[in-house]
Each structure stands twice: as structure tokens, then as C-alpha cells.
């Protein structure tokens, strides 16, 4: 399961991810703060912040809360000290899992993540054990019934896109993180708004799992995603078609 997999798209449509509005707001607010802290409060020169603001607007985070989060990130306003941390581990079937967290208490968060992984049939791994299996990429998704791959490539390649991937119902344009803003703006300027766009972690290879293992992995994924400190979960498994079909019913 990559940042944009068939499961991700189903999950997004059904609104399963971050079902509670409060949790959505907490996650996007933390990302704005971290982005502003890392690269400054001006989104025109901070691709990560620009992406974070777009994600916040997509879930209707009020403008004043966005501005406050930016100021907290830059230190203009007082705020709790939030740190970024990436945990690595394994799920059922030996699937590689990356867990991106933002926390004010690393001891608490690592203990909770370790417990969730263990309870879900997985385990925490050492730093570097699976991160090498993933590449950080900008990803823009476009409905296949609205656009051809030739059309998208013609626009994307000139702006810095690296590849286009068939992801079932969508085409995925992939690019280097530093080219994400330029690629996205090229499509918007051409009158084509991506259905989704983000900087994410893409697995270099995926592992096919059976239905039983897939169900266990989805349960583990949901448990991790429900933790208040977990921002994103990335994994390298492919669900069987029969399970995907059941989830769409």
C-alpha cells in the first residue's frame, strides 16, 4: 500500500481516513507547523508548507487557524515543541511499514506505536531497516476517464515530472519533491486540477498478500492511523483483487 494505491483511493472515497473532524484538523495543523518550522512561513519559497496549506484548505481548516499554525511553526507565537520522527517496522507477512509521526513526547509515542504494531501482528524495527525500500516523491492523481496518459505526460514532463503510473481508476504523475510545486502549477495553468496531490513515500517494490493477511494489514493500518501522533502510514503491500472488490461494495 503506497501513498496512492487502490486501497488509498477507496479509503479516501469512503471517508474512512481520519473520520473525526477534530483529528483531521490536528494532523493538518501539525504539518503546517512542522513545515513552517523547517522552511519558513512563506509558502512561495517553501514547497512543503504550500502543500500543507492546500491539504488544510481541502478539509476546510479555517483561515485563521492556518495563519496561527504558521506563526507557531516560525516561533512568532508560543507553541508546544513538536518533533518529527519516523518509525520503521514490519506488519503481518513481513510487509515493510513506515510511520511518520509528530509528537511532543517521543517516549509516549514510540511506546504506543510499538504496542499497536505488536498487537496487530507486526513489530518495531531498527532505524534504517525498511526506509531504504521507499522513495520520497511528489504524486499527482488524475481520473483516467477524464485524461489520457499522453495528455498528462506532455504537460508534466516539461515541468519536471519523472513518470506516469497506472493506478486503476487514476493516472499518477510522479516527480522529485523539489519539482512538486512546478509540476502541480503546470497542470493548474493548463486548466487541469489534480484530484489529489501530495509529497509522499512510494515503495520501490510491492508485496502481494492474500486476503487473510490483507485484512490483518488493513486493521493494523487503521489502528496506527487512529493514533493522535501518527501523521502518515506507508507500506509496501498490494491487496488481492477479491478484497478490493469487497471493499467497493
Amino acid at each position: 500500500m503506497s501513498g496512492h494505491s487502490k486501497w488509498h483511493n477507496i479509503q479516501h472515497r469512503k471517508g474512512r481516513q481520519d473520520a473525526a473532524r477534530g483529528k483531521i484538523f490536528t494532523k493538518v495543523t501539525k504539518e503546517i507547523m512542522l513545515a513552517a518550522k523547517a522552511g519558513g512561513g512563506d509558502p512561495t519559497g517553501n514547497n512543503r508548507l504550500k502543500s500543507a496549506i492546500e491539504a488544510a484548505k481541502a478539509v476546510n481548516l479555517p483561515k485563521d487557524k492556518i495563519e496561527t499554525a504558521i506563526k507557531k511553526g516560525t516561533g512568532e507565537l508560543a507553541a508546544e515543541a513538536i518533533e518529527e520522527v519516523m518509525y520503521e517496522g514490519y506488519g503481518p507477512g513481513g510487509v515493510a511499514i513506515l510511520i511518520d509521526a509528530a509528537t511532543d513526547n517521543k517516549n509516549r509515542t514510540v511506546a504506543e506505536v510499538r504496542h499497536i504494531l505488536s498487537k496487530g501482528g507486526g513489530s518495531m524495527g531498527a532505524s534504517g531497516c525498511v526506509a531504504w525500500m521507499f522513495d520520497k516523491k511528489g504524486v499527482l492523481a488524475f481520473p483516467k476517464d477524464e485524461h489520457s496518459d499522453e495528455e498528462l505526460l506532455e504537460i508534466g514532463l516539461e515541468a519536471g515530472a519523472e513518470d506516469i503510473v497506472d493506478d486503476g481508476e487514476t493516472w499518477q504523475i510522479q516527480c522529485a519533491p523539489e519539482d512538486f510545486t512546478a509540476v502541480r502549477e503546470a497542470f493548474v495553468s493548463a486548466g487541469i486540477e489534480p484530484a489529489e496531490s501530495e509529497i509522499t513515500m512510494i515503495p520501490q517494490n510491492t508485496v502481494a498478500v492474500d486476503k487473510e493477511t490483507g485484512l490483518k494489514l488493513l486493521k493494523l493500518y487503521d489502528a496506527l492511523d487512529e493514533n493522535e501522533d501518527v501523521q502518515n502510514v506507508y507500506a509496501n503491500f498490494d491487496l488481492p483483487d477479491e478484497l478490493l472488490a469487497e471493499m467497493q461494495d
Side-chain angles (χ1 to χ4, degrees), residues 124-143:
M124 185 80 85
S127 177
C129 67
V130 300
W132 61 273
M133 302 180 189
F134 296 80
D135 295 317
K136 193 172 188 178
K137 297 286 185 182
V139 177
L140 301 92
F142 302 87

Side-chain angles (χ1 to χ4, degrees), residues 100-227:
D100 178 24
T103 178
D104 59 358
N105 186 328
K106 290 198 291 186
N107 289 334
R108 178 195 69 224
T109 305
V110 71
E112 290 177 351
V113 169
R114 181 180 288 111
H115 175 72
I116 294 169
L117 284 169
S118 178
K119 187 176 179 181
S123 61
M124 185 80 85
S127 177
C129 67
V130 300
W132 61 273
M133 302 180 189
F134 296 80
D135 295 317
K136 193 172 188 178
K137 297 286 185 182
V139 177
L140 301 92
F142 302 87
K144 288 173 68 175
D145 58 0
E146 297 179 17
H147 308 284
S148 69
D149 54 345
E150 292 88 354
E151 173 194 17
L152 297 174
L153 273 175
E154 183 177 354
I155 298 169
L157 288 176
E158 189 171 337
E162 297 176 343
D163 196 11
I164 186 166
V165 177
D166 184 344
D167 192 43
E169 296 181 8
T170 65
W171 295 113
Q172 289 183 20
I173 290 287
Q174 298 183 1
C175 64
E178 58 268 24
D179 295 326
F180 176 73
T181 297
V183 172
R184 191 183 190 287
E185 289 180 350
F187 284 105
V188 173
S189 297
I192 302 176
E193 190 78 29
E196 294 181 60
S197 59
E198 66 177 340
I199 295 175
T200 187
M201 302 296 289
I202 301 293
Q204 296 170 6
N205 297 289
T206 55
V207 178
V209 299
D210 59 26
K211 181 178 178 180
E212 181 181 356
T213 303
L215 288 170
K216 291 178 181 177
L217 286 162
L218 293 179
K219 186 176 180 179
L220 173 58
Y221 182 97
D222 285 343
L224 288 166
D225 190 57
E226 286 169 6
N227 183 276

Side-chain angles (χ1 to χ4, degrees), residues 30-82:
K30 282 185 177 180
E31 176 58 19
I32 290 172
M33 291 172 62
L34 288 168
K37 179 181 178 181
D42 182 2
T44 59
N46 184 340
N47 288 343
R48 180 178 176 183
L49 179 58
K50 186 170 185 177
S51 180
I53 292 172
E54 289 173 355
K57 289 179 177 178
V59 297
N60 299 314
L61 183 69
K63 183 179 179 181
D64 63 321
K65 292 188 180 297
I66 292 175
E67 293 172 350
T68 297
I70 293 173
K71 290 178 179 178
K72 285 184 176 181
T74 59
E76 188 175 342
L77 291 176
E80 65 275 22
I82 296 177

Side-chain angles (χ1 to χ4, degrees), residues 17-25:
Q17 187 172 22
D18 299 337
R21 178 177 292 269
K23 183 177 290 187
I24 300 174
F25 283 2

Side-chain angles (χ1 to χ4, degrees), residues 1 3 5-18 218 221-222 225 247:
M1 181 166 54
S5 65
K6 293 176 183 176
W7 157 242
H8 172 91
N9 293 332
I10 291 170
Q11 182 191 51
H12 182 80
R13 285 198 303 270
K14 291 190 173 183
R16 291 188 56 175
Q17 187 172 22
D18 299 337
L218 293 179
Y221 182 97
D222 285 343
D225 190 57
M247 291 164 58

